[in-house]
Amino acid sequence: MVDFSLYQNTKQLLLHGKTDLRKDILEIVENGIKQVIPYERTQQLIRLDDDWITVGQDTFQLKPSGNIFFVGAGKGSFPIAQAIDELLGSKIKRGVVVVKEGEKRSLSHIETFESSHPLPDERSVVAAHKIIDILQEAGPDDYVIAAITGGSSAMVNVPPEGISIDEIRTINELLLESGAAIGKINALRKHVCLLKGGRLVQYAQPATVITLTLDTAPPDMPWPDLCLPDPTTFQDALDVVDSFQLGDSIPQSIHRYLVKGLGNPELETLKTLEGMNHHIYRFGGPTEACTAAAARARMLGYEPHILSTSLEGEAKDLGVFLAGISNEIVSNQRPFSIPCALISGGETTVTIHGKPGKGGPNQETALGFALKISEQAQACFLSMDTDGTDGPCEIAGGLVDSDTKNRARKLGIDIHASLQNHDAGTVLQKLEDAVITGHTGTNVMNLRVVLIGKARG
């Protein structure tokens, strides 16, 4: 009997539809996500021996006058902070970890502070200044351990002079609704925050910064953006405004600042961290999540195929695309044979038209699949955000199968209309197909699995 400890509503999800496939897919996805929860990985990576800290293959000597500080932010930062708190204990002079609202738990030597996500608010500013205060206390003999994971862009913000956090919230909201890819969104966000674009490391100098992170980035976007140089410019940020026709919508204070930045190199984000004391360690990412999911799929009798670890694009369209591949496999045994698992990672987007209902990208991907998968197929699909919150709601994602469309018809639910109205969450809850996990303790973007099996009996 598998212990589905990740999900809060396993029983509900297994009461209908292709129950054998559903049970298998829940197990496969859980194995993928648990592989990238960073608590155990941090414990394996770091060791303290007398006056030496070992991180992976590297060693750092603690001088008699030196201190250890800790700062963290993001949806996967708490398990790292917890492991560091247990490993280093009273050797941590000061520390703070910024977590998403509702995730606050106590640690012995590190303060936890709840902030806002996916849209920043005043707590984001308070959180950022808590981090900066610690960084500026660190001296040349000190070490700063920084745990920075996905979600930190919203959770910590230092607006430039003349720009309010409410105005930054507005531009974030416009970007999320525009359907822009995360790389485009962050190109703009980094240029209206005085902590992003590698500045966390700069604030900590001359201390040595040891950054621990989960790898979530698409190939063209360095991550984590608080601790790495930024290849984008103010011109790139303005290009995003123009490309998504936001010029008439963004606050004028932000537009003026972006234009001002074009002629003021001193306002630009850091393009190199050369000369700064900085080391970065990545453990866990989409590749590890997909690989672990594939291993469990093979164990359960499905031939796994990792399609990509960085699929992007419009959420519902990806669901339709995956259904198309699945239908070809069912009809013609190509490009793969049955039984099989199609596995992918990456981050999709939703372009909002009109006033949205309830939902998020993974929920739209799931319903896009349900809309187009053949009702004769033995197929099941689970798409979820690995952090446990898909969009601005408590739903992690959606679990659908080739019976879903028929069940929706019987309940009088129009899946196509719900996608048009961006109300996938409402539909999935009515179908009892919304996946609920709560905070998972990790964040490596989305994990998607299609299972195609043989008819049983």
Side-chain angles (χ1 to χ4, degrees):
M1 179 67 179
V2 178
D3 176 21
F4 292 111
S5 58
L6 179 70
Y7 313 102
Q8 296 178 4
N9 61 333
T10 304
K11 184 177 180 180
Q12 181 186 70
L13 294 168
L14 295 177
L15 284 176
H16 51 266
K18 307 293 186 184
T19 53
D20 291 326
L21 289 175
R22 283 173 171 252
K23 178 178 177 294
D24 288 347
I25 208 168
L26 287 171
E27 183 175 343
I28 289 165
V29 169
E30 177 157 345
N31 198 62
I33 290 176
K34 285 187 172 181
Q35 179 63 30
V36 289
I37 295 175
Y39 173 78
E40 290 185 0
R41 298 294 296 276
T42 304
Q43 288 188 317
Q44 294 165 1
L45 184 72
I46 297 179
R47 188 174 71 253
L48 178 65
D49 296 309
D50 296 324
D51 294 328
W52 292 88
I53 300 176
T54 300
V55 186
Q57 301 300 312
D58 301 325
T59 55
F60 303 90
Q61 185 175 18
L62 287 173
K63 297 181 181 179
S65 60
N67 300 296
I68 298 174
F69 298 90
F70 179 91
V71 296
K75 292 178 284 187
S77 61
F78 183 84
I80 301 174
Q82 182 181 11
I84 294 295
D85 190 80
E86 294 171 2
L87 287 165
L88 302 183
S90 60
K91 288 188 177 292
I92 301 170
K93 183 176 181 182
R94 284 182 66 194
V96 64
V97 58
V98 182
V99 299
K100 187 174 178 178
E101 183 177 12
E103 195 186 4
K104 186 173 182 178
R105 289 167 282 176
S106 296
L107 295 173
S108 298
H109 305 93
I110 297 171
E111 175 190 358
T112 57
F113 182 84
E114 291 187 5
S115 189
S116 179
H117 186 276
L119 299 174
D121 61 20
E122 288 293 343
R123 292 170 296 177
S124 307
V125 180
V126 174
H129 283 290
K130 282 179 175 286
I131 287 174
I132 290 171
D133 286 347
I134 291 175
L135 298 176
Q136 292 184 326
E137 184 178 338
D141 293 340
D142 298 334
Y143 291 94
V144 174
I145 298 176
I148 308 298
T149 67
S152 56
S153 291
M155 291 182 192
V156 292
N157 275 272
V158 181
E161 186 177 356
I163 297 176
S164 71
I165 191 62
D166 288 339
E167 289 170 325
I168 290 182
R169 182 183 179 92
T170 296
I171 190 63
N172 273 264
E173 195 166 25
L174 290 168
L175 288 165
L176 290 172
E177 292 178 353
S178 72
I182 189 64
K184 300 290 187 183
I185 290 174
N186 278 357
L188 203 161
R189 291 198 293 198
K190 282 184 281 191
H191 284 88
V192 290
C193 175
L194 301 183
L195 185 58
K196 298 180 177 65
R199 291 190 179 102
L200 186 152
V201 176
Q202 185 179 45
Y203 273 116
Q205 297 306 299
T208 298
V209 180
I210 299 171
T211 296
L212 309 175
T213 188
L214 291 164
D215 185 8
T216 63
D220 62 342
M221 188 185 75
W223 179 259
D225 58 12
L226 274 70
C227 295
L228 283 180
D230 175 24
T232 69
T233 64
F234 276 101
Q235 184 60 63
D236 293 321
L238 283 165
D239 288 345
V240 172
V241 172
D242 292 339
S243 297
F244 294 93
Q245 300 178 338
L246 301 178
D248 295 333
S249 305
I250 70 169
Q252 286 303 301
S253 62
I254 290 180
H255 193 269
R256 284 194 300 269
Y257 183 76
L258 294 177
V259 172
K260 179 182 177 182
L262 291 177
N264 290 273
E266 69 276 7
L267 297 179
E268 188 56 87
T269 50
L270 301 181
K271 305 309 171 193
T272 178
L273 299 184
E274 187 176 351
M276 299 185 193
N277 299 316
H278 181 224
H279 307 265
I280 188 165
Y281 301 89
R282 294 178 172 88
F283 43 86
T287 296
E288 287 79 5
C290 289
T291 300
R296 186 55 56 93
R298 179 174 282 112
M299 190 184 81
L300 293 173
Y302 303 88
E303 185 62 30
H305 304 279
I306 298 176
L307 304 180
S308 171
T309 59
S310 57
L311 278 179
E312 299 180 22
E314 189 71 21
K316 67 178 184 297
D317 295 340
L318 178 58
V320 171
F321 170 75
L322 291 172
I325 293 177
S326 302
N327 288 336
E328 184 69 19
I329 292 170
V330 170
S331 298
N332 298 308
Q333 294 281 299
R334 64 185 183 197
F336 309 118
S337 299
I338 299 173
C340 64
L342 312 181
I343 300 165
S344 62
E347 182 158 309
T348 54
T349 53
V350 173
T351 305
I352 301 294
H353 301 289
K355 185 177 180 180
K358 181 178 184 178
N362 287 278
Q363 296 159 71
E364 292 207 3
T365 303
L367 285 190
F369 182 91
L371 192 64
K372 294 298 182 179
I373 188 67
S374 168
E375 294 183 49
Q376 282 68 54
Q378 296 293 320
C380 185
F381 177 53
L382 197 163
S383 181
M384 68 171 282
D385 194 316
T386 56
D387 67 19
T389 50
D390 180 42
C393 65
E394 75 283 1
I395 299 171
L399 171 57
V400 297
D401 57 41
S402 40
D403 290 345
T404 299
K405 188 162 49 178
N406 184 49
R407 291 179 55 238
R409 277 196 299 265
K410 290 179 179 179
L411 292 172
I413 296 171
D414 187 334
I415 292 178
H416 183 268
S418 76
L419 287 170
Q420 293 294 106
N421 296 327
H422 305 292
D423 199 27
T426 300
V427 169
L428 288 167
Q429 286 183 314
K430 287 181 179 177
L431 291 168
E432 299 187 330
D433 283 340
V435 177
I436 310 294
T437 64
H439 297 292
T440 63
T442 190
N443 179 44
V444 294
M445 298 195 291
N446 305 331
L447 179 59
R448 297 171 290 266
V449 177
V450 178
L451 281 191
I452 305 172
K454 297 178 179 179
R456 300 181 187 244

